[in-house]
Amino acid sequence: MNNSTTDKTSQDTEQAILMAAEKEFLSKGFAGARTTSIAESAGVTHAMLHYYFRTKAKLFDRVLGEKIKLLKEALFSSFDYSNASLEEIILNIVERHLDFIAANPELPRFLIEEIYSDQERSNIFLEQIDRYAPIILRAMQQKINDEAAKGTCRMVDARMLMLDIASLNIFSFIAAPVVKAALGDLTADSEAFLAMRKKENYDTIIRKLNLLNFRKL
């Protein structure tokens, strides 16, 4: 077996373990997750799992780190183009954040439970968030400041604006059983419901900025 084949096999094994671990952690939490179950689901021996990740905590950190990386990429991509309008940036953030949550519907609840259940793991998560959140907030505030100076939107605190977006986007997923019970048929078609939430959440944020008075329809 040549080196390229060996590397590919190693990567496949690692990915299988990560996928199994993600499912185990999200469904059972860190405390309830079992490395034996993860190994069995991944189709590897328990010894092999420990060879790749050493401990359950290291495996958990890797899974969490991958999710945060994906979220960071989704949000940062909204600021990749300097000529984009504030309206376009808001639309991109709302849509990409909602798409991320829709692809990981159990993640918000899981993160909240883990943050409150263990201080050490909470610190690890918050430290990772703190690495990129200020960058996004500064970029958003500068865009708001520029638009407000031109009289095209009202001045708001970017921190509050991003909190509004996160709250609007996350609630439908973190309270999914209640939402489905209350709204019934409206949630039956998940894709249609997601599209509705994107529009409603976007319009809510646009109204907060008073951009409705300025955008060209």
Side-chain angles (χ1 to χ4, degrees), residues 86-87 90 140 143-145 147-148 151-158 161 164-165 202-214:
L86 179 58
E87 184 180 4
I90 294 294
M140 176 63 81
K143 197 69 178 181
I144 292 171
N145 293 348
E147 295 294 329
T152 54
C153 81
R154 67 186 190 86
M155 178 63 74
V156 299
D157 189 323
L161 187 71
D164 289 340
I165 293 173
Y202 165 73
D203 285 347
T204 298
I205 298 301
I206 291 298
R207 284 193 291 269
K208 177 185 178 74
L209 287 164
N210 204 28
L211 274 168
L212 284 174
N213 293 333
F214 304 106

Side-chain angles (χ1 to χ4, degrees), residues 100-183:
F100 173 80
I101 301 172
N104 302 273
E106 297 178 340
L107 189 60
R109 173 194 54 78
F110 165 78
L111 289 176
I112 290 174
E113 290 177 353
E114 291 300 318
I115 286 172
Y116 282 101
S117 66
D118 186 281
Q119 187 61 52
E120 183 176 350
R121 290 197 301 278
S122 173
N123 290 339
I124 292 172
F125 169 68
L126 295 177
E127 285 171 5
Q128 293 193 56
I129 292 294
D130 192 48
R131 292 176 185 174
Y132 70 87
I135 300 173
I136 294 175
L137 291 172
R138 284 195 297 271
M140 176 63 81
Q141 191 65 65
Q142 185 59 57
K143 197 69 178 181
I144 292 171
N145 293 348
D146 292 344
E147 295 294 329
K150 293 186 293 186
T152 54
C153 81
R154 67 186 190 86
M155 178 63 74
V156 299
D157 189 323
R159 296 169 296 182
M160 293 297 100
L161 187 71
M162 294 298 282
L163 182 59
D164 289 340
I165 293 173
S167 300
L168 288 167
N169 284 357
I170 290 172
F171 181 78
S172 296
F173 294 90
I174 204 167
V178 176
V179 172
K180 289 179 180 179
L183 303 183

